[in-house]
């Protein structure tokens, strides 16, 4: 089903000055190939370090009337797409940059962007990057969190989706505007079915734009191009700085890893406020001279788009698929029905979370395309390692390191500050170094805990590297389930559960336990129509899992597992829910209040000092009885390694 990527002459078509056609034509199958590439200094390969210039060169390599963006707002395969040429896209980027400069936005000023996948997202992001620093913000966050991010970033301007049915972005922004700096310019973008606000509408403003107030400043490699915030799944998001050199290097590596060529068409269905969507799946695509298809403003969250996924591939002659592993798990069980997929290239890159082998095999079988798994971090400008396009894809692996990128595995739990490198296949903490490494965080407080004294990024992930150089990410340090001193990798449980034809999604976490510290439990979302139950799934695990201590004590079947905005199971939410239920059950039993459950409330939240704080609220307890009740609460809670606070109501 896959097409090749060369002219009839066999010469690969690439953007001049930003890609080496001969290098793309060479095989990339092993660490030996990576080491061969590294014999040439990176400076000789990375000639263009201004990322906006890389994009401009890509646009210049396309015919002006070629289509850069196909836009369908609602996943309707029968709707006529709105089309934007490379000429129009380039013009809108330039006009947006000029508008911002004419409003005083300079190289070190931050422009926040709050909008889903509408075409204006592209010229807003690239226009802001041309004039200053772009900061795509998760528009689904609560207004108070958005306000905190805007203040921390010292945003000097905002571009946001205007009043639009189904969205509260504009209303949320207006609710916090009084707490932003006075006279901060805020431009609106009309959404599908939304209103045009004449005074602030971005399209009207750039159409009236006479030109730049002054020539744009020269952009250097160390200049900051973007702020990208972390997912914030374990507390408030951290804002990471990414330089133009970071973005240009990442584009170069991704083009090499996936062999992107001129004229391709990629699906845009992931959010651009996340580093994987922004750098990996959108901006790097354009900088390679490809066009994009926006199939829905909601991306992969739109069920109609997912139902029409293969039809979009056929209709728009898509060359590169898109989807995080959780999306691919759904698509693997919804195969194409006679659609022509011949335009697809031989492989595409996915990431964000681990991909079960069964999902990969099924997806590759129905699509005819190899799935290249990857591992990345916001702090490393996305990718660290990717499956080699011409080599083996090992089950459970995230591939081999990218050129000029270093990964080391160090022993966990060392207290004296020394570093012991782990042997091949020995699990330890992953640390990363290289040109993708961010200059740091907007808040310098985060920096000390993120780097070793010798400059390696502390990823917070556990993993191993085998003798062939393949990286296996086995979990998060914080996600480890520690049962009586025995470390259990949640992935061991999840991978087996996902082999069951009854299971669509699975997430394993540790449940607080007074004796063992933690016990493994799992949350499962079943396939539509499945009648499976918890006892049956535990029996399935007992047959297929060698590690008996890892078999969950409980399985909770839920209608829907919560996911983060980038497709990862929201384990922090599951841990919080499980801990609250565990503590409340134990307290009701100890206080003999099972018949009055509303008298005890338990909240588990992140805390700046304690990490996690359990707040216990007891209702309607006479003052005279509080000492004895408190003693019972302490007897229960002192068995757990959690800080707690008791309140009386």
């Amino acid at each position: 089903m896959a097409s090749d990527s060369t002219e009839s002459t066999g010469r690969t078509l690439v953007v001049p000055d930003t890609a080496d056609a001969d290098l793309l034509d060479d095989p990339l199958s092993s660490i030996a190939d990576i080491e061969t590439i590294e014999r040439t200094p990176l400076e000789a390969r990375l000639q263009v370090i201004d990322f906006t210039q890389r994009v401009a060169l890509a646009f210049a390599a396309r015919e002006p009337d070629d289509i850069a963006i196909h836009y369908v707002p609602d996943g309707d395969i029968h709707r006529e797409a709105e089309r934007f040429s490379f000429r129009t896209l380039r013009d809108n980027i330039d006009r947006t940059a000029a508008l911002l400069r004419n409003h005083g936005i300079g190289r070190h000023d931050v422009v926040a962007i709050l909008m889903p996948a509408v075409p204006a997202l592209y010229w807003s992001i690239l226009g802001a990057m041309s004039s200053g620093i772009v900061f795509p913000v998760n528009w689904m966050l609560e207004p108070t969190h958005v306000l905190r991010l805007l203040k921390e970033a010292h945003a000097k301007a905002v571009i946001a989706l205007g009043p639009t049915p189904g969205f509260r972005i504009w209303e949320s922004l207006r609710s916090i505007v009084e707490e932003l700096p006075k006279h901060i310019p805020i431009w609106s973008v009309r959404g599908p079915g939304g209103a045009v606000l004449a005074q602030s509408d971005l399209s009207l403003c750039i159409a009236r734009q006479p030109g730049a107030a002054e020539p744009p400043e020269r952009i250097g490699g160390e200049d900051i191009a973007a702020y990208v915030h972390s997912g914030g799944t374990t507390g408030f998001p951290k804002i990471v700085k990414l330089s133009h050199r970071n973005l240009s290097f990442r584009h170069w590596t991704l083009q090499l890893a996936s062999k992107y060529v001129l004229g391709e068409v990629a699906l845009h269905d992931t959010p651009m406020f996340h580093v994987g969507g922004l750098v990996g799946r959108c901006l790097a695509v354009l900088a390679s001279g490809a066009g994009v298809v926006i199939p829905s403003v909601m991306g992969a969250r739109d069920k109609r788009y997912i139902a029409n996924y293969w039809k979009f591939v056929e209709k728009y002659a898509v060359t590169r698929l898109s989807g995080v592993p959780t999306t691919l798990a759904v698509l693997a069980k919804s195969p194409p029905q006679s659609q022509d997929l011949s335009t697809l290239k031989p492989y595409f890159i996915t990431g964000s979370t681990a991909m079960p082998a069964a999902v990969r095999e099924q997806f590759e079988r129905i699509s005819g395309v190899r799935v290249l798994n990857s591992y990345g971090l916001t702090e490393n400008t996305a990718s660290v390692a990717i499956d080699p396009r011409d080599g083996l894809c090992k089950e459970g692996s995230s591939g081999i390191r990218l050129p000029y990128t270093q990964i080391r595995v160090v022993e966990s739990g060392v207290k004296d500050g020394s570093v012991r490198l782990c042997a091949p296949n020995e699990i330890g903490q992953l640390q990363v170094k290289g040109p993708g490494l961010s200059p740091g965080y907007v808040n310098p407080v985060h920096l000390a805990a993120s780097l070793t004294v010798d400059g390696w990024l502390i990823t917070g992930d556990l993993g191993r590297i085998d003798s062939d150089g393949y990286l296996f990410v086995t979990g998060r340090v914080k996600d480890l389930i520690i049962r009586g001193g025995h470390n259990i990798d949640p992935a061991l449980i999840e991978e087996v559960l996902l082999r069951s034809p009854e299971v669509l999604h699975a997430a394993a976490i540790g449940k607080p336990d007074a004796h063992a510290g933690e016990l493994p439990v799992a949350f499962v979302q079943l396939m539509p129509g499945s009648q499976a139950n918890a006892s049956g799934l535990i029996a399935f695990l007992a047959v297929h899992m060698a590690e008996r201590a890892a078999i969950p004590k409980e399985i909770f079947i839920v209608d829907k597992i919560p996911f983060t905005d980038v497709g990862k199971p929201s384990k922090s939410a599951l841990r919080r829910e499980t801990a609250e239920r565990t503590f409340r059950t134990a307290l009701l039993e100890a206080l003999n209040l099972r018949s009055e459950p509303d008298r005890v409330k338990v909240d588990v939240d992140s805390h700046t000092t304690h990490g996690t704080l359990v707040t216990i609220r007891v209702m309607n307890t006479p003052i005279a009885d509080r000492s004895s009740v408190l003693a019972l609460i302490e007897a229960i809670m002192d068995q757990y390694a959690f800080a707690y606070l008791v309140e009386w109501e």
Side-chain angles (χ1 to χ4, degrees):
M1 293 181 185
S3 64
D4 62 28
S5 59
T6 60
E7 295 181 286
S8 59
T9 61
R11 176 71 175 180
T12 298
L13 289 168
V14 296
V15 179
D17 301 321
T18 66
D20 186 330
D22 292 333
L23 193 59
L24 265 63
D25 282 335
D26 289 341
L28 184 59
S29 59
S30 67
I31 281 292
D33 295 326
I34 298 294
E35 292 170 347
T36 298
I37 291 168
E38 291 172 335
R39 289 174 189 159
T40 299
L42 178 61
E43 292 73 21
R45 298 196 184 279
L46 201 65
Q47 296 292 320
V48 180
I49 56 175
D50 171 357
F51 185 75
T52 62
Q53 187 182 353
R54 296 179 84 85
V55 173
L57 288 167
F59 289 5
R62 297 297 303 267
E63 292 296 324
D65 292 328
D66 286 350
I67 303 303
I69 301 173
H70 287 90
Y71 168 57
V72 177
D74 56 3
D76 183 356
I77 192 64
H78 301 295
R79 181 189 287 270
E80 185 68 26
E82 191 174 354
R83 300 187 299 174
F84 298 82
S85 68
F86 279 94
R87 186 201 314 273
T88 299
L89 179 56
R90 174 76 270 171
D91 185 56
N92 285 346
I93 292 169
D94 290 342
R95 287 175 176 273
T96 301
L99 174 70
L100 292 169
R101 284 194 290 269
N102 284 334
H103 278 77
I105 301 299
R107 173 54 38 216
H108 304 293
D109 295 323
V110 176
V111 181
I113 312 290
L114 290 96
M115 70 180 84
V118 295
L121 183 59
Y122 279 95
W123 51 86
S124 296
I125 285 176
L126 288 167
M129 194 183 294
S130 297
S131 58
I133 300 169
V134 67
F135 182 26
V137 176
N138 182 352
W139 47 270
M140 290 177 273
L141 292 173
E142 291 297 316
T144 52
H145 286 186
V146 172
L147 177 63
R148 177 185 175 277
L149 288 169
L150 297 183
K151 284 186 170 181
E152 185 173 317
H154 299 289
K156 295 291 182 66
V158 181
I159 305 175
L161 189 76
T164 302
F167 294 88
R168 298 280 307 166
I169 298 173
W170 190 255
E171 292 78 4
S172 295
L173 184 59
R174 300 310 300 178
S175 73
I176 60 174
V177 71
E178 293 300 322
E179 298 184 66
L180 295 174
K182 290 187 177 181
H183 310 301
I184 183 172
I186 300 176
W187 289 279
S188 59
V189 170
R190 182 178 181 271
V196 173
L197 305 179
Q199 295 302 311
S200 64
D201 184 76
L202 182 67
S203 293
L204 295 177
C205 289
I206 64 175
R208 295 192 295 261
Q209 183 59 39
E214 57 185 35
E217 298 177 42
R218 179 184 176 277
I219 296 175
E222 307 314 311
D223 285 331
I224 303 302
Y227 287 173
V228 182
H229 63 71
S230 63
T233 56
T234 58
F236 289 117
K238 300 173 184 175
I239 306 176
V240 179
K241 301 176 182 179
L242 299 179
S243 70
H244 279 268
R245 188 183 302 278
N246 288 151
L247 294 184
S248 296
F249 170 71
R250 184 58 60 230
H251 167 237
W252 181 84
T253 59
L254 291 174
Q255 189 167 222
L256 173 67
S258 58
K259 202 172 179 178
Y260 251 112
V261 297
L262 276 171
E264 292 203 40
V265 180
L267 286 169
H268 169 176
D269 60 7
T270 51
M272 285 177 74
F273 53 74
H274 178 263
V275 73
L278 178 72
V279 179
R281 298 186 183 97
C282 295
L283 296 188
V285 170
L286 280 180
S288 298
V292 297
V293 177
I294 300 175
S296 169
V297 293
M298 294 299 293
R301 290 171 170 264
D302 188 327
K303 292 181 179 178
R304 178 153 64 166
Y305 156 57
I306 294 299
N308 288 321
Y309 187 93
W310 303 111
K311 294 178 181 178
F312 271 97
V313 173
E314 179 181 50
K315 182 173 181 178
Y316 295 99
V318 170
T319 64
R320 300 288 177 160
L321 299 180
S322 178
V324 295
T326 48
T327 300
L328 301 183
V330 175
L331 292 168
K333 296 174 181 178
S334 304
Q337 303 294 321
S338 74
Q339 281 85 29
D340 179 5
L341 308 183
S342 61
T343 57
L344 291 175
K345 298 295 182 182
Y347 28 68
F348 78 102
I349 298 170
T350 188
S352 175
T353 188
M355 167 162 277
V359 171
R360 185 206 289 251
E361 291 167 5
Q362 174 69 357
F363 190 87
E364 290 181 343
R365 185 184 67 78
I366 67 173
S367 68
V369 177
R370 289 184 68 204
V371 180
L372 305 182
N373 204 13
S374 69
Y375 166 67
L377 303 152
T378 305
E379 289 86 349
N380 197 58
T381 322
S383 303
V384 173
I386 299 175
D387 278 326
R389 51 177 157 83
D390 305 310
L392 292 174
C393 292
K394 295 190 179 186
E395 181 177 344
S397 168
S398 296
I400 60 177
R401 65 179 180 84
L402 290 169
Y404 309 99
T405 300
Q406 299 170 269
I407 312 172
R408 72 181 185 185
V409 185
V410 302
E411 182 181 7
S412 300
V414 176
K415 303 298 184 182
D416 63 1
S418 62
V419 173
R420 184 185 73 81
L421 297 181
C422 293
N425 286 314
E426 182 184 358
I427 293 176
Q429 294 193 34
L430 300 180
Q431 298 179 353
V432 174
K433 205 174 193 182
L437 204 60
S438 160
Y441 298 95
V442 169
N443 185 345
V445 170
H446 300 311
L447 191 60
S450 70
L451 293 176
T452 66
V453 292
D454 52 347
W456 289 77
L457 174 69
I458 302 169
T459 69
D461 290 317
L462 296 170
R464 60 184 175 88
I465 297 176
D466 72 7
S467 57
D468 296 322
Y470 280 73
L471 171 68
F472 294 78
V473 181
T474 60
R476 294 284 291 168
V477 173
K478 65 180 178 56
D479 282 345
L480 272 181
I481 302 167
I482 305 176
R483 180 180 183 178
H486 181 74
N487 290 352
I488 298 171
D489 183 352
L492 293 176
I493 303 168
E494 295 159 356
E495 287 172 4
V496 176
L497 281 170
L498 289 168
R499 291 181 204 161
S500 168
E502 308 289 343
V503 174
L504 179 59
H505 299 304
I509 62 165
K511 166 189 172 180
D513 184 76
H515 302 290
E518 288 184 313
L519 291 174
V521 299
F523 289 77
V524 166
Q525 181 178 333
L526 298 174
M527 289 292 296
S530 171
Q531 299 300 311
N533 56 37
S535 60
L537 291 173
I538 290 176
F540 177 84
L541 286 168
V543 171
H544 293 89
M545 285 190 69
E547 190 173 351
R548 313 308 295 172
I551 296 175
K553 290 299 178 184
E554 295 177 277
I555 288 182
F556 303 101
I557 294 177
V558 296
D559 292 336
K560 190 173 184 179
I561 285 180
F563 284 89
T564 67
D565 298 316
V566 295
K568 297 181 182 181
S570 182
K571 291 192 176 182
S572 60
L574 296 176
R575 278 193 293 267
R576 183 171 59 249
E577 175 189 331
T578 301
E580 288 174 352
R581 180 171 54 243
T582 299
F583 295 143
R584 187 165 177 267
T585 299
L587 290 168
L588 289 172
E589 179 77 23
L591 300 176
N592 197 25
L593 291 176
R594 285 173 295 174
S595 61
E596 302 176 78
D598 291 341
R599 285 187 57 190
V600 177
K601 294 182 180 180
V602 178
D603 294 304
V604 177
D605 293 299
S606 58
H607 190 273
T608 54
T609 302
H610 301 294
T612 301
L613 179 67
V614 182
T615 302
I616 301 163
R617 295 180 176 86
V618 186
M619 318 295 173
N620 304 323
T621 300
I623 294 176
D625 296 338
R626 290 181 181 179
S627 294
S628 59
V629 170
L630 181 60
L632 291 171
I633 292 173
E634 290 173 344
I636 293 297
M637 294 305 298
D638 287 349
Q639 300 176 78
Y640 301 95
F642 285 80
Y644 63 92
L645 173 70
V646 179
E647 296 179 349
W648 308 98
E649 294 187 7

